[in-house]
Amino acid sequence: MKQYDVIIAGGGVIGAACAYFLSRDTNLKIALVDLKKPGNASRASAGGLWAIGESVGLGCGVIFFKTLSKLQSEGDTEAAETLRPHQLPECFFELALKSNELYPALHEEMLARHDVDFKFERTGLKFIMYNRDDEIYADSIVSGIPNLSSQIRWLDQQQLREEEPYITPDAIGAIDFICDHQVNPYRLVDAYTEGARQNGVELFLNTEVLDVLREGNKVIGVRTQDQSLHCETLINAAGAWADDIYHQATGKHMPVYPVKGQIVLSERMPKVLNGCISTSDCYIAQKDNGEILIGSSTEEKGFDTTNSLDKITELSQGAMKCLPILKESSIKRCWAGLRPGTPDELPILGPVDGVEGYINACGHFRTGILMSAITGTLITELMTGKPTSVDLAPFRVERFE
Amino acid sequence: MPSCQKEKIVIVGAGPAGVSCAAELAKYGITSTLVDEAPKIGGVIYRGPLRQASKLPHLDENLKRAMAALKVRYEHHKQDITLQLQTKVLGPEGESGLLLQTENQLTQIDYTKLVLATGCHERSVPFEGWQLPGVMLMGGMQLQLKSGLVRPGKKVALVGTGPLLPLVACQLHKSGAQVVGVYEASRFSELAKETVALLNKPKLTLSGLSMLAYLKKHNIPFKYGYGIVKAEGQEKLSSVTVAPYDEHWHADLSKAQHLAVDSLGVGYGFVARTQLAMLLGVSHQYTTTNGYVPLLDDNLRSSLNSIFVCGDTNGLLGAEAAIIEGKMAATMLAYEQACLSESTFHTRMRKLKTKRKQTQKFRAGFDRFSALREGLLALTQADTVVCRCEQVKRQQLDLALQQGAKDLSSVKMRTRIGMGDCQGKMCSSYALDRLHAAGHLGTLGVIRPRFPLDPIPFTLLEKNHEAV
């Protein structure tokens, strides 16, 4: 029987980050158990590190917010007034910004120590304005975050044309969040995983957690298709499937559910974007190999991961409006990922009252890539009994009770 | 006469399997829609020249007869067949529909029963120099010959395994090319062992023998137990190195020969073209001879009740068997709609299956003879490109395997193998073989095909689509 200090259930970006940080900073004996299921969000992700953008409802959040407002306005005709930015609470900003700060050094560290490159690029995130309504929207975003004014640049039409010459000349300007950047998402997962492996973490890939093993209120391990693995602590990083593990560990349910996002990818193009882009229709990011990634829909359809022409058309039209040169290219691939959604859009982190040997690291919704570094750090602090660098109270699962 | 038809049937692929399925359905008064990406029916094997060519003297009579027969079969029943040529299937749309692309339009077609007859594509085997212009897959070479318009080269060598080698050699010679040599990787003694199996198709075996006699008569060397080592040239191919292979196909470099050629045909067999079947969610199984093939019941029904798979898409029995399988799927579909009686159904199905069995036995002989051996994997250098779309070198795959990648999808994420336009058609066989050789048979996984199966120009999405 194999015995570990820590078993991590789930090898997406969160599980892999936990494995990396724990193996880097402790001498714990660690196992990572992972089965890639269709729709796993880390591989489907766009790879934006849009700390401010996502906190104010841009980037991946744009469509979410639109969908939300549409749903609300369908019940209430009065609500069709000017859109207000969908700003997340202060604790989310803190978590996002702290995590974001970790990437430049992490990128160098992983290159130097482990020879892995997750393609960190300083890009900024520009919100493109087409008209007066967009300007009002941008204004209210900026006025909502006065403490971050140093991270925001206003670009007028001329400046935008100089910095992003391929953006439609119809655009009247942009705001740029200068600390928002991007990585290659699956390379980031791979980098954490390979770093963890080099640090001695045992990887059980293509391995499904079938059951969580318990003794009374203590979690003591997991059963896989091959064997039972025992542990002192189980970390639940199972993404959209996290509630299964939680239920087995605690007998209760928590509100983590799949939120489908479809993505459109262009063929490789020469460099046509200097930064990441968000409009009120979609986000657009040119990745390290020249492909342009356009996202993404927000759909609650269970674990369905099919693509549909209506969403692909919407996203493509939004992107062509912003970046007309796309009309010279083709859609090379589409796919759909399942974000691990939560009702308040905050992740679920930390231990659970009344359950021993179990920690949540899940519910990261749209920002798993961005939040992976701080999540790995926090879990490591928890495991070593250090004070956590962020107060975990707002993120505990008990908030839903 | 009122039709017994209850289902809306769509057939993807107008090759031997698809056409025979549509024609057989028509015999029972059942209409169907037949979709193909090419401008003519017949599939890669029987399509013939895209433009009318006056003479095709290098093509043998058997092939010309088969091409004509398929056309007659279609013509005879065309009132019941809606033919949509130059139409690509991009993937599923909705619960029981397909998204199609014609020249400048996206459309959708719904079905209640779907027959996939998408055929196969050639297996790429990377070796040093395989990307040089002048190095071609043998099926591609044959297509040029069949087009009647292009001769693949002036001085040609052929390497590979299986019955296509002598056939293409004869066609090349008849078209006026100088065939420097034909190199069959397996040994003659292994072919001799399969005599019993090959006698299941005495005609085919005889025609194979007569081709070998033709080559001998024209002093074209046909060497068993020989294969490729590397191809060389500046800008384009100028020479190849071949050498004797041992039983595992490891080359004996001490006996290597250099040949000056401007063209090399490479034929290590075919892989079922299953991307659409996979995208639709049909269950597949891995086979060492054919790669991934759909799991089917005795009557060619897939794991999804509404989808049948016939022809080379489900294994590689060739055109003759594909025609039989097209009829099998049609017979089953007709029976299900009560368009033929139970006893007729059983009689017909039994006959078709008996005929197919003979081909299967014949094929099994060649499958054993031509089963790819591990030596082929040793033909690459560390810096040989193994994934052409993404320009991935062998050493990147080596590193991924060394670092513990045990399945295709991990290999893909780590190296970009399979992320290119071809969706892994060119590279996944090699990556699978390497994983297999590393002992990861239980965890292989697949390169999951993604929507769309062919790139969609963004401009096709510019306007709202009433059709969808």
Side-chain angles (χ1 to χ4, degrees):
Chain A
M1 182 187 68
K2 293 193 168 166
Q3 177 73 40
Y4 298 89
D5 296 313
V6 180
I7 291 178
I8 301 163
V13 74
I14 299 297
C18 292
Y20 178 71
F21 283 94
L22 277 168
S23 65
R24 188 190 71 178
D25 299 344
T26 74
N27 291 316
L28 296 170
K29 192 174 177 208
I30 304 161
L32 177 79
V33 185
D34 180 64
L35 178 78
K36 292 281 170 259
K37 296 189 178 175
N40 68 86
S42 300
R43 284 180 175 180
S45 155
L49 299 179
W50 301 328
I52 300 182
E54 287 294 348
S55 300
V56 298
L58 292 175
C60 197
V62 161
I63 306 266
F64 175 75
F65 176 49
K66 269 193 158 177
T67 312
L68 209 70
S69 331
K70 195 172 161 232
L71 288 178
Q72 279 168 0
S73 67
E74 274 165 6
D76 175 13
T77 47
E78 300 281 303
E81 59 193 71
T82 323
L83 296 181
R84 296 286 309 161
H86 178 68
Q87 192 171 321
L88 286 166
E90 191 53 38
C91 63
F92 185 89
F93 272 89
E94 190 192 356
L95 200 65
L97 288 165
K98 278 222 162 110
S99 196
N100 197 33
E101 283 168 13
L102 298 172
Y103 286 94
L106 186 64
H107 183 236
E108 284 177 22
E109 166 187 317
M110 296 191 108
L111 255 178
R113 284 196 204 168
H114 303 293
D115 192 25
V116 288
D117 180 1
F118 59 77
K119 308 277 180 184
F120 173 76
E121 289 179 78
R122 292 178 188 276
T123 55
L125 174 72
K126 294 188 186 77
F127 172 68
I128 306 293
M129 299 178 280
Y130 297 122
N131 52 40
R132 182 72 193 134
D133 283 348
D134 290 341
E135 218 166 31
I136 294 169
Y137 188 72
D139 257 332
S140 58
I141 288 175
V142 173
S143 61
I145 45 171
N147 52 328
L148 292 172
S149 57
S150 66
Q151 299 299 322
I152 297 170
R153 288 192 310 145
W154 281 89
L155 305 181
D156 64 21
Q157 191 170 44
Q158 191 53 38
Q159 284 169 306
L160 177 61
R161 281 183 193 177
E162 277 161 23
E163 290 190 23
E164 298 287 1
Y166 290 95
I167 298 279
T168 174
D170 296 342
I172 58 168
I175 47 173
D176 185 18
F177 304 109
I178 56 183
C179 68
D180 287 7
H181 302 302
Q182 73 169 341
V183 298
N184 179 315
Y186 50 83
R187 279 190 188 263
L188 179 63
V189 182
D190 219 43
Y192 283 137
T193 311
E194 176 57 16
R197 188 190 69 86
Q198 290 180 17
N199 290 338
V201 172
E202 232 177 295
L203 303 178
F204 294 87
L205 303 179
N206 307 103
T207 306
E208 184 165 24
V209 172
L210 297 175
D211 294 304
V212 174
L213 306 174
R214 285 201 302 182
E215 263 171 18
N217 69 341
K218 180 168 173 30
V219 172
I220 58 157
V222 297
R223 189 175 67 83
T224 73
Q225 70 263 36
D226 305 317
Q227 60 194 316
S228 288
L229 306 171
H230 287 237
C231 63
E232 294 300 318
T233 305
L234 175 67
I235 296 173
N236 180 1
W241 296 266
D243 185 42
D244 287 349
I245 305 280
Y246 180 75
H247 181 60
Q248 291 199 42
T250 68
K252 296 182 282 189
H253 283 286
M254 63 178 174
V256 177
Y257 45 83
V259 181
K260 175 176 161 182
Q262 299 192 41
I263 285 194
V264 171
L265 187 76
S266 80
E267 295 175 318
R268 280 184 197 207
M269 294 185 76
K271 194 165 171 62
V272 296
L273 286 180
N274 292 308
C276 297
I277 302 295
S278 176
T279 72
S280 49
D281 304 309
C282 62
Y283 63 79
I284 309 172
Q286 186 161 28
K287 303 308 288 184
D288 53 291
N289 56 7
E291 294 160 346
I292 292 177
L293 194 150
I294 303 154
S296 79
S297 66
T298 294
E299 303 163 73
E300 287 190 25
K301 293 197 166 170
F303 289 91
D304 170 61
T305 57
T306 55
N307 287 112
S308 60
L309 190 59
D310 56 346
K311 300 292 180 202
I312 287 164
T313 305
E314 267 175 48
L315 290 170
S316 301
Q317 288 179 349
M320 279 186 278
K321 177 180 163 192
C322 182
L323 193 63
I325 195 170
L326 277 174
K327 293 175 194 171
E328 293 169 25
S329 181
S330 296
I331 297 177
K332 172 183 169 181
R333 292 279 203 289
C334 302
W335 60 82
L338 301 172
R339 309 176 186 92
T342 61
D344 56 8
E345 300 175 53
L346 303 184
I348 301 175
L349 305 173
V352 178
D353 290 343
V355 181
E356 281 177 56
Y358 174 88
I359 293 177
N360 276 320
C362 50
H364 287 77
F365 205 10
R366 309 184 305 259
T367 52
I369 299 289
L370 169 65
M371 298 289 200
S372 63
I374 193 71
T375 303
T377 306
L378 289 167
I379 297 300
T380 304
E381 288 164 351
L382 272 180
M383 290 302 301
T384 50
K386 287 184 190 149
T388 51
S389 30
V390 173
D391 177 18
L392 285 183
F395 304 108
R396 299 269 306 246
V397 70
E398 285 80 14
R399 70 181 187 270
F400 297 112
E401 281 168 6
Chain B
M1 194 177 72
S3 171
C4 52
Q5 183 160 4
K6 294 176 194 75
E7 309 276 9
K8 171 143 177 41
I9 300 171
V10 173
I11 304 166
V12 181
V19 170
S20 82
C21 182
E24 191 76 4
L25 284 169
K27 276 191 196 166
Y28 303 112
I30 301 171
T31 61
S32 60
T33 302
L34 184 57
V35 181
D36 198 287
E37 61 195 349
K40 289 179 74 175
I41 65 162
V44 173
I45 182 157
Y46 293 150
R47 194 180 298 141
L50 296 180
R51 275 178 283 170
Q52 200 59 49
S54 50
K55 281 192 276 178
L56 297 166
H58 53 290
L59 297 187
D60 61 282
E61 292 304 318
N62 284 341
L63 179 66
K64 283 191 243 179
R65 247 196 316 274
M67 281 180 175
L70 197 75
K71 272 191 200 101
V72 168
R73 203 168 280 160
Y74 165 73
E75 290 294 332
H76 195 67
H77 294 288
K78 69 179 175 190
Q79 73 283 354
D80 286 327
I81 303 171
T82 308
L83 184 60
Q84 281 189 242
L85 292 173
Q86 288 178 287
T87 304
K88 288 180 197 165
V89 177
L90 297 173
E93 174 62 24
E95 282 294 295
S96 59
L98 297 173
L99 186 66
L100 307 178
Q101 182 187 340
T102 54
E103 193 186 350
N104 48 19
Q105 210 187 349
L106 296 179
T107 58
Q108 193 183 329
I109 188 167
D110 287 319
Y111 59 85
T112 62
K113 289 283 188 291
L114 183 64
V115 179
L116 300 179
T118 48
C120 59
H121 58 81
E122 286 190 88
R123 178 191 281 263
S124 296
V125 173
F127 51 86
E128 209 183 330
W130 73 300
Q131 295 194 93
L132 278 169
V135 179
M136 304 174 68
L137 290 171
M138 224 155 50
M141 217 169 217
Q142 238 197 338
L143 270 189
Q144 293 193 346
L145 288 167
K146 285 182 194 169
S147 77
L149 302 167
V150 190
R151 192 172 54 207
K154 291 198 182 90
K155 269 182 101 174
V156 190
L158 297 178
V159 297
T161 184
L164 208 53
L165 274 174
L167 175 65
V168 175
C170 291
Q171 289 173 344
L172 276 168
H173 183 263
K174 286 177 190 167
S175 77
Q178 183 193 345
V179 182
V180 179
V182 187
Y183 302 90
E184 160 63 61
S186 288
R187 296 166 169 190
F188 183 72
S189 56
E190 293 179 67
L191 187 61
K193 275 192 269 179
E194 302 298 345
T195 314
V196 176
L198 299 185
L199 284 177
N200 277 290
K201 284 276 165 195
K203 256 193 183 163
L204 272 180
T205 305
L206 271 178
S207 114
L209 288 175
S210 78
M211 285 189 265
L212 290 173
Y214 177 94
L215 295 179
K216 192 157 193 185
K217 183 176 150 201
H218 293 93
N219 290 319
I220 297 167
F222 190 100
K223 294 206 174 176
Y224 287 94
Y226 261 79
I228 185 71
V229 177
K230 62 179 167 183
E232 289 168 294
Q234 304 282 339
E235 313 259 312
K236 63 187 181 64
L237 181 69
S238 59
S239 75
V240 296
T241 305
V242 296
Y245 277 11
D246 70 11
E247 60 189 320
H248 302 296
W249 294 7
H250 284 288
D252 178 357
L253 296 178
S254 68
K255 293 181 185 146
Q257 298 171 15
H258 303 279
L259 310 167
V261 292
D262 60 10
S263 184
L264 173 71
V266 184
Y268 285 98
F270 297 83
V271 187
R273 192 175 167 193
T274 56
Q275 282 75 14
L276 179 57
M278 282 192 185
L279 201 52
L280 286 161
V282 165
S283 303
H284 283 65
Q285 63 178 340
Y286 179 75
T287 63
T288 46
T289 38
N290 302 329
Y292 278 93
V293 291
L295 269 169
L296 302 175
D297 73 5
D298 279 354
N299 298 321
L300 306 175
R301 190 195 298 277
S302 74
S303 59
L304 299 177
N305 184 55
S306 58
I307 300 181
F308 290 76
V309 185
C310 53
D312 281 351
T313 323
N314 69 31
L316 297 158
L317 294 174
E320 206 179 332
I323 289 170
I324 299 168
E325 291 193 351
K327 290 181 184 175
M328 284 171 62
T331 307
M332 189 65 213
L333 282 166
Y335 174 58
E336 277 190 334
Q337 298 171 73
C339 292
L340 80 168
S341 72
E342 180 150 7
S343 66
T344 319
F345 165 71
H346 286 301
T347 316
R348 292 202 180 165
M349 217 44 160
R350 204 177 309 122
K351 266 190 192 159
L352 290 167
K353 285 181 184 171
T354 308
K355 266 177 99 179
R356 186 170 71 135
K357 195 85 203 162
Q358 287 173 340
T359 312
Q360 276 170 331
K361 283 183 186 156
F362 174 81
R363 242 2 272 201
F366 260 114
D367 280 349
R368 284 187 292 269
F369 172 67
S370 292
L372 302 192
R373 324 276 157 91
E374 65 191 30
L376 271 192
L377 296 177
L379 291 174
T380 49
Q381 300 295 317
D383 63 351
T384 304
V385 166
V386 296
C387 163
R388 292 168 92 142
C389 303
E390 297 290 330
Q391 291 291 305
V392 182
K393 296 187 168 144
R394 196 199 75 193
Q395 60 209 16
Q396 291 165 269
L397 174 58
D398 294 345
L399 182 66
L401 292 173
Q402 217 178 72
Q403 290 177 342
K406 292 187 178 120
D407 63 284
L408 211 47
S409 128
S410 303
V411 164
K412 171 178 165 181
M413 291 296 161
R414 207 157 270 206
T415 63
R416 295 193 65 84
I417 281 180
M419 281 195 187
D421 278 353
C422 87
Q423 301 232 22
K425 285 189 200 99
M426 302 271 279
C427 51
S428 68
S429 295
Y430 178 73
L432 272 171
D433 289 345
R434 288 289 309 274
L435 280 162
H436 193 184
H440 302 313
L441 194 56
T443 55
L444 284 175
V446 291
I447 289 189
R448 201 179 292 279
R450 297 285 196 184
F451 176 88
L453 291 173
D454 272 303
I456 307 174
F458 272 103
T459 46
L460 289 191
L461 298 171
E462 255 188 303
K463 295 185 194 78
N464 284 320
H465 292 275
E466 286 90 350
V468 183

